[in-house]
Amino acid sequence: MSMFQYDFMIRALIGALVIGLSAPALGIYLVQRRMSLIGDGIGHVALTGVGVGLLLDRSPVLTAVIVSTIGAVAIELLRERGRTSGDQALALLFYGGIAGGVMLVGLSDNRSNANLMAYLFGSLTTTSRNDLIVIVVLGAAVLAAMLLLRPALFAICHDEEYARVSGLPVRTLNVLIAVTAAVTVTIAMRTVGLLLVSALMVVPVAAAQQVTRGFRGTMALAMGLGVLSAGLGVWLAGEADTAAGATIVVLAIAGFVAIAAGAGLWRLVRRRVQAIPHTVDVEPPDVVLER
């Protein structure tokens, strides 16, 4: 009997595939800017949004999107104006977000630990139809923005000063990255949870960088690895009765280890082959005797 005969498993698979595709598409820009941990910070702020939703009896996904977007934009503006350093900004996100979230969840009627754990570590099989619609629509928007604006986003991630001199709207693009990061984190909290969402943004990109050189190739391979990890993770979680989010992340990390080991072995073999001296028989030139 197939597990995908149940509607909740089909919703889980679709949601996981959408996140597996869109998260690496955004994550490659975060990795390029050396902001791999920003997803963790936004995830903590999103927990405050979850608390607001539970307290007001509204959709936690939508309130988390709003709150995390405001937090991400505020931190980006603070970083740009130089009023606080990057690590201090992340500290504000980490500590303030999770403290506010835990407090608001405690004040709400749904104060059980099960509700809190579902958002912290994911509860993919409990994704409702409305949750799936939000995930698909917002995930498609993030993916479209990352693909259509790839040249401009790559420019500001590679050299922000050069992009500014070239006339690109650097502030707008930076805010766009912050907003899409917030959206991706919040829609992925149902898949892998707020505490594990950065893994889907970073690990597939890190794995793809082991075997590719160009930005476009790395992005395409990272998206493929993200979809593969998400799909296999949902299937394996259903078969082994494990947490879907944790299973997806474990598979993504296992894929990174396998690719890194294979790439390292291939480079070692190539160096050994190149080090072997090659003897080539060359005929001596004709000797011309002068009179």
Side-chain angles (χ1 to χ4, degrees):
M1 183 179 297
S2 174
M3 70 181 74
F4 294 109
Q5 66 178 329
Y6 303 107
D7 291 339
F8 72 89
M9 286 302 299
I10 296 177
R11 291 195 297 268
L13 179 62
I14 295 174
L17 292 177
V18 171
I19 300 303
L21 189 65
S22 58
L26 168 67
I28 189 170
Y29 298 106
L30 300 180
V31 172
Q32 189 74 16
R33 301 184 70 181
R34 301 185 183 276
M35 297 176 62
S36 301
L37 294 179
I38 191 67
D40 286 325
I42 296 176
H44 286 70
V45 173
L47 184 60
T48 299
V50 170
V52 171
L54 295 177
L55 186 63
L56 301 178
D57 197 20
R58 295 291 186 268
S59 171
V61 175
L62 292 178
T63 54
V65 169
I66 295 172
V67 172
S68 60
T69 298
I70 294 173
V73 171
I75 294 301
E76 173 59 32
L77 293 178
L78 287 174
R79 183 196 66 82
E80 179 185 330
R81 296 180 181 180
R83 295 184 179 179
T84 185
S85 61
D87 58 342
Q88 292 175 344
L90 284 177
L92 292 173
L93 283 173
F94 269 77
Y95 306 134
I98 197 167
V102 171
M103 184 182 70
L104 291 175
V105 170
L107 293 174
S108 66
D109 295 332
N110 300 320
R111 61 178 64 186
S112 66
N113 290 332
N115 288 328
L116 186 60
M117 295 294 287
Y119 291 103
L120 288 176
F121 298 102
S123 182
L124 189 57
T125 55
T126 62
T127 303
S128 65
R129 183 180 181 87
N130 292 332
D131 289 337
L132 182 62
I133 292 175
V134 173
I135 290 173
V136 171
V137 171
L138 294 181
V142 169
L143 184 62
M146 296 301 101
L147 294 178
L148 295 177
L149 298 176
R150 180 173 56 194
L153 294 176
F154 173 76
I156 66 167
C157 292
H158 183 68
D159 191 340
E160 190 170 301
E161 293 301 324
Y162 176 79
R164 184 176 286 107
V165 172
S166 300
L168 292 175
V170 174
R171 173 178 294 180
T172 302
L173 293 173
N174 282 332
V175 171
L176 175 64
I177 292 179
V179 170
T180 51
V183 170
T184 304
V185 166
T186 49
I187 64 176
M189 67 184 179
R190 277 299 200 181
T191 308
V192 295
L194 294 173
L195 298 184
L196 297 175
V197 63
S198 285
L200 277 184
M201 293 183 179
V202 176
V203 176
V205 177
Q209 287 178 334
Q210 303 297 316
V211 294
T212 58
R213 294 184 179 180
F215 184 83
R216 183 179 300 179
T218 302
M219 187 178 193
L221 182 57
M223 292 166 62
L225 293 174
V227 171
L228 183 62
S229 299
L232 289 178
V234 172
W235 172 79
L236 184 59
E239 291 290 338
D241 193 21
T242 57
T247 306
I248 292 172
V249 173
V250 168
L251 285 179
I253 294 176
F256 167 78
V257 172
I259 292 175
L265 182 61
W266 172 250
R267 288 191 292 267
L268 179 62
V269 171
R270 287 188 60 184
R271 285 197 297 267
R272 292 289 181 86
V273 171
Q274 292 174 356
I276 298 176
H278 297 280
T279 58
V280 180
D281 295 332
V282 179
E283 295 183 358
D286 294 335
V287 178
V288 179
L289 299 177
E290 297 181 357
R291 294 182 180 179

